[in-house]
Amino acid sequence: MTSSSGASRRQVLAVAAAAATAPLLAGAPAEAKPKQPKTWDLTILGTSDTHGNVYNWDYYKDAEFDDSKQNDVGVAKLATLVNQIRAERKGRATLVLDAGDTIQGTPLATYYAKQEPITSTGETHPMARAMNILKYDAVTLGNHEFNYGLPLLATWIEQLGFPALAANALNAKTGKPAFLPYVIKEVKLGGHGAPKLRVGILGLTNPGVAIWDKGNVEGRLVFADMVATAAKWVPEMRRRGADLVVISAHGGDSGTSSYGPELPNENPTALIAEQVPGIDAILFGHAHNEVPEKFVTNLTTGERVLTSEPSKWGQRLTRMDFTLTREKGRWTVTAKSATTLNTNTVVEDPAVLAAVRGQHTKTVEYVNRVVAQSSVELSAAESRYKDTPILDFINHVQTEVVTEALAGGEYAGLPVLSIAAPFSRTAVFPQGDVRIRDVAGLYVYDNTLEAVVLTGAEVKAYLEYSAKYFVTLPAGAPVNPETISDPAVPDYNYDVFSGVDYDIDIAKPVGQRVTRLVLAGTDTPVAADARFVVAVNNYRRSGGGNFPGIVKTQVYNAQQEIRQLLIDWAQAKGVIDPADFFVPNWKLVRNGVPLF
């Protein structure tokens, strides 16, 4: 009894103790979880360097576009991706921007600038038709927007259903912006009652326009430094209520320029991110690179600026995603990321195709017109490293036009040289019918022909500069045409001369490679003080590529497009025969021994 009673008492006490403790345990606060702030999201889609591509079409081959990586091109492809993302995000904010170089680059764009210019016909430009279907929020002007002159650019801008931006393009007389510098878009983040976000979008164009399109902008526009312009306008946008600041910049992120230091930096995107506080993200273009996502730390604030570049021609679409919170009326970006989407994963948008179908069809008919017969097939495949008839065709026509224009004048007694670059590795004049698209495929840029006077010493310096295109190949090193050029120098910055004979020795260091330079068909060295008229395109003569000695007053400038001169010559002759123009006058050597 005693034992049992003691046990019982102990049990009662234990239960009582537990009962007394239980309320304390139950009422003890657990680890308090911090209240998670509500988040919202914003998506910004970006395109750049579409260069007149609407359809997934190669006008030079008269076939669907294709390359070795199975890329597709065109605004119609971009539209499908944009529409898919908008549908996925229905009810949430999505903006669409473009970073420039829109109205030049294909026969479609050229046709409505040159053959049936929109300034004369009143017709809507195909790139305005296509982009209006997409309902962009803003486009930045690229340097190629200025190729066809300010009147055509103004007409195209009027046709757009959204703003065109270029904060650093200034009126030369007033110093004030010649175009809209920025917009602030108020977007609703979500459904009914959701707060609004004010997104500031600043557009920056490329200062190189002052060189590349000098004839169109000199005395009318000046182009301020992109970094300094961002530093001016970003704080202004913030003062005007921008909660998020995005820059759409037509300039790469390498920090280098293809021209000299006399103009502001051509590719300053990373510098803008580093040096200008208050930027959340930069969509950029111009360099034709694919940069899915790259963060650059601002040196003042330590904040990471999101940057992205969507390749070229509509091959990629940039997608930027932002997560935001709002506290006491202020927005904070808590996360951001970017990627690029491949347009070869989707079909073309039928609405865009329909909007441009008539213009596309007209362009296809135009470029397929036969202009001449070629006696043999002429290919540009070897033109970078070997003297070829097809490049001599360009130089011959340029020489002939300039010689005839200067006949009887002050410069008639000077020899005429000509410069051409191997723009295309795939251009071919087939044996038989040569069409406009074949000529356009050889000369893919809308350059005009000019001429200047150079001395023999200047010709030599020019050739030495051009010869930096090649890597140095010492004796015994393998010679591979695919790797013979320096990848840092684009093909269009390698020039070939006609009218003098010369050798380039690529065993020698840059600057000492022109080992033979003689008057055409002779063994007479070119004298340093000899004088020549040199036919050259406006891009190069204006300083494009930073070649020495060429930026000087023209002795010929009739504003004639070189591509059209080639077409006109072929039509007038009826036959393209290398016997009429091919004069082998240069070669690559190694220690004096020809390589090809």
Side-chain angles (χ1 to χ4, degrees):
M1 285 287 295
T2 305
S3 176
S4 174
S5 174
S8 232
R9 180 176 175 76
R10 284 194 298 272
Q11 288 171 353
V12 170
L13 289 172
V15 170
T21 310
L24 295 175
L25 293 172
E31 274 253 349
K33 289 185 179 178
K35 184 179 178 182
Q36 295 298 315
K38 182 172 175 55
T39 62
W40 287 268
D41 61 88
L42 168 72
T43 293
I44 296 178
L45 305 178
T47 64
S48 189
D49 296 275
T50 50
H51 281 287
N53 287 282
V54 177
Y55 277 58
N56 183 42
W57 194 256
D58 187 333
Y59 292 94
Y60 305 121
K61 295 180 180 177
D62 196 27
E64 183 175 303
F65 180 89
D66 194 24
D67 65 13
S68 60
K69 296 180 180 178
Q70 285 73 55
N71 288 306
D72 287 348
V73 299
V75 174
K77 289 268 186 172
L78 290 168
T80 300
L81 284 176
V82 169
N83 289 337
Q84 285 180 355
I85 294 167
R86 280 178 171 150
E88 292 165 7
R89 292 182 49 76
K90 188 174 182 180
R92 294 182 290 166
T94 304
L95 298 177
V96 185
L97 309 178
D98 184 89
D101 273 8
T102 301
I103 60 172
Q104 177 276 341
T106 61
L108 174 69
T110 301
Y111 190 87
Y112 288 95
K114 296 288 187 178
Q115 303 303 319
E116 293 187 15
I118 58 172
T119 46
S120 300
T121 64
E123 189 166 357
T124 302
H125 194 283
M127 292 305 287
R129 289 176 183 262
M131 295 177 80
N132 285 340
I133 295 288
L134 263 78
K135 298 180 180 177
Y136 277 81
D137 291 283
V139 59
T140 291
L141 301 184
N143 54 281
H144 282 288
E145 262 65 82
F146 297 86
N147 285 172
Y148 303 115
L150 298 182
L152 187 133
L153 174 56
T155 302
W156 176 68
I157 290 173
E158 288 171 5
Q159 294 174 347
L160 297 176
F162 48 87
L165 311 176
N168 60 319
L170 309 176
N171 184 298
K173 293 181 179 177
T174 67
K176 295 180 179 179
F179 304 92
L180 195 64
Y182 69 89
V183 292
I184 297 179
K185 300 276 296 186
E186 191 171 81
V187 297
K188 200 171 185 180
L189 300 182
H192 180 71
K196 292 180 180 178
L197 177 77
R198 289 167 62 82
V199 181
I201 304 160
L202 176 69
L204 299 173
T205 192
N206 203 284
V209 175
I211 287 178
W212 305 322
D213 273 301
K214 185 176 181 180
N216 292 329
V217 301
E218 188 174 28
R220 302 177 184 182
L221 299 177
V222 293
F223 295 84
D225 181 86
M226 295 170 76
V227 181
T229 303
K232 173 184 177 179
W233 288 107
V234 168
E236 176 69 12
M237 294 161 68
R238 290 288 186 183
R239 280 194 296 271
R240 290 180 177 269
D243 302 304
L244 187 84
V245 169
V246 178
I247 293 180
S248 175
H250 194 76
D253 65 348
S254 67
T256 62
S257 295
S258 64
Y259 44 74
E262 67 276 7
L263 282 185
N265 195 297
E266 178 183 356
N267 295 298
T269 291
L271 299 175
I272 296 170
E274 283 182 350
Q275 297 177 21
V276 182
I279 301 167
D280 294 288
I282 303 177
L283 171 73
F284 68 101
H286 183 61
H288 290 198
N289 293 326
E290 182 178 4
V291 182
E293 177 189 77
K294 182 178 178 181
F295 285 97
V296 180
T297 301
N298 184 268
L299 299 177
T300 300
T301 64
E303 295 292 329
R304 297 201 311 159
V305 180
L306 175 65
T307 72
S308 181
E309 181 180 19
S311 189
K312 62 183 178 182
W313 305 346
Q315 293 178 356
R316 302 290 185 274
L317 174 72
T318 279
R319 174 174 178 160
M320 295 179 172
D321 290 298
F322 303 84
T323 303
L324 305 103
T325 60
R326 182 176 171 87
E327 187 175 357
K328 296 181 181 178
R330 293 182 64 86
W331 287 99
T332 301
V333 177
T334 59
K336 52 189 172 181
S337 62
T339 189
T340 49
L341 308 175
N342 197 325
T343 57
N344 70 5
T345 61
V346 295
V347 299
E348 294 170 288
D349 178 72
V352 172
L353 295 182
V356 184
R357 181 167 288 116
Q359 295 171 314
H360 167 74
T361 300
K362 184 177 284 189
T363 303
V364 169
E365 291 172 352
Y366 170 73
V367 299
N368 276 288
R369 294 180 192 170
V370 175
V371 294
Q373 302 290 311
S374 182
S375 61
V376 294
E377 180 180 283
L378 303 178
S379 170
E382 299 178 327
S383 294
R384 297 173 298 120
Y385 53 87
K386 187 177 179 182
D387 199 344
T388 56
I390 200 166
L391 219 59
D392 273 13
F393 170 67
I394 299 172
N395 274 329
H396 176 80
V397 173
Q398 292 182 166
T399 299
E400 193 173 87
V401 169
V402 170
T403 300
E404 290 176 2
L406 298 181
E410 178 183 356
Y411 303 100
L414 298 182
V416 178
L417 315 184
S418 180
I419 299 170
F423 292 147
S424 171
R425 300 188 183 193
T426 58
V428 174
F429 289 178
Q431 184 176 17
D433 289 348
V434 175
R435 305 175 190 276
I436 287 176
R437 61 180 168 88
D438 300 317
V439 181
L442 172 66
Y443 208 98
V444 296
Y445 296 108
D446 301 314
N447 296 332
T448 57
L449 182 62
E450 301 183 4
V452 297
V453 174
L454 296 186
T455 65
E458 288 173 324
V459 170
K460 173 77 156 43
Y462 192 104
L463 284 169
E464 290 285 11
Y465 184 87
S466 185
K468 72 185 177 66
Y469 174 78
F470 298 102
V471 298
T472 302
L473 283 181
V479 179
N480 182 352
E482 297 305 312
T483 58
I484 202 167
S485 59
D486 183 340
V489 183
D491 293 353
Y492 60 77
N493 274 344
Y494 170 61
D495 281 346
V496 168
F497 265 81
S498 68
V500 288
D501 296 350
Y502 61 97
D503 293 349
I504 297 174
D505 196 323
I506 59 174
K508 298 189 179 301
V510 171
Q512 303 173 33
R513 291 180 162 180
V514 180
T515 53
R516 186 178 72 100
L517 177 59
V518 299
L519 298 176
T522 75
D523 293 322
T524 305
V526 170
D529 61 351
R531 296 174 76 231
F532 302 92
V533 170
V534 179
V536 61
N537 70 60
N538 67 299
Y539 170 81
R540 188 69 82 230
R541 207 280 315 161
S542 297
N546 202 29
F547 280 67
I550 199 72
V551 180
K552 54 178 64 179
T553 303
Q554 308 99 310
V555 297
Y556 166 84
N557 182 12
Q559 291 291 299
Q560 292 181 290
E561 191 177 276
I562 294 171
R563 182 194 297 119
Q564 192 60 47
L565 290 171
L566 301 178
I567 293 169
D568 292 346
W569 188 95
Q571 285 180 315
K573 294 288 184 181
V575 174
I576 298 174
D577 186 347
D580 293 334
F581 52 79
F582 181 40
V583 180
N585 68 297
W586 69 272
K587 60 183 179 294
L588 287 187
V589 302
R590 179 164 58 182
N591 295 322
V593 179
L595 289 176
F596 301 101

